[in-house]
Amino acid sequence: LGSATERASINAALGQGLQGLNWAGQAPFPMVAALLQRCDLVLSGDTGPLHLAALLRRPTVSAYFGSSQVYETGPYGNGHLAAYQDLDCAPCDQMDGCARPICKQRVSAEGLAQACRAQLGLGPEPRGFWRSQLSPQGLQWLPSAAAVVEASHA
């Protein structure tokens, strides 16, 4: 699900051995909630369908770039995975004209595919991702288990 401009990116992720349907640019809005409810997993950017999927308690994997920060606009709920680089230059408004788009370069189709497999219980979490956790203090975004294990062995 998503806009027609996201279709190629979704196809790249599906090309990493994942099975799924790419409805980007094809699903009328009234159909979106019904489709999301049937999904085993939702892979998305910081979009309306991502937040609707979280509301419907579907597991999600999302990608956040320089103009948004996962701990401010990430999906609400427990256990969501997000690719997010906590960089000194973020947040920014230079998404198209950035001379150093590190936030985009560090997110790969392979990493997103590995995160999808992890959310489905088919493999470990990749490095560079954050996981949502609800606590009495509210929603928190913590480095994924892979990053915590790596840090503990440093």
Side-chain angles (χ1 to χ4, degrees):
L1 296 170
S3 71
T5 60
E6 297 167 308
R7 195 161 182 74
S9 298
I10 295 168
N11 282 334
L14 290 174
Q16 298 298 316
L18 296 174
Q19 293 181 351
L21 300 173
N22 186 353
W23 282 80
Q26 298 178 337
F29 188 74
M31 185 189 288
V32 171
L35 289 169
L36 289 172
Q37 185 63 47
R38 298 181 60 126
C39 291
D40 293 325
L41 172 76
V42 175
L43 169 63
S44 178
D46 184 17
T47 65
L50 170 72
H51 296 284
L52 184 55
L55 178 68
L56 294 169
R57 297 191 176 167
R58 307 316 306 152
T60 70
V61 172
S62 54
Y64 283 76
F65 301 111
S67 61
S68 59
Q69 296 174 311
V70 70
Y71 48 83
E72 291 180 353
T73 63
Y76 190 82
N78 235 356
H80 300 287
L81 273 179
Y84 172 71
Q85 306 296 317
D86 197 10
L87 302 170
D88 292 339
C89 56
C92 75
D93 59 1
Q94 302 288 321
M95 289 307 293
D96 293 325
C98 181
R100 249 179 13 125
I102 298 168
C103 59
K104 288 183 178 180
Q105 294 167 347
R106 291 186 182 172
V107 177
S108 68
E110 296 85 10
L112 290 169
Q114 185 178 351
C116 289
R117 286 190 288 274
Q119 283 292 73
L120 295 170
L122 302 174
E125 291 180 5
R127 293 177 49 210
F129 280 73
W130 295 71
R131 182 171 283 284
S132 65
Q133 178 180 324
L134 284 173
S135 71
Q137 292 77 33
L139 181 66
Q140 298 176 322
W141 284 91
L142 306 170
S144 71
V148 172
V149 169
E150 186 175 289
S152 70
H153 288 99

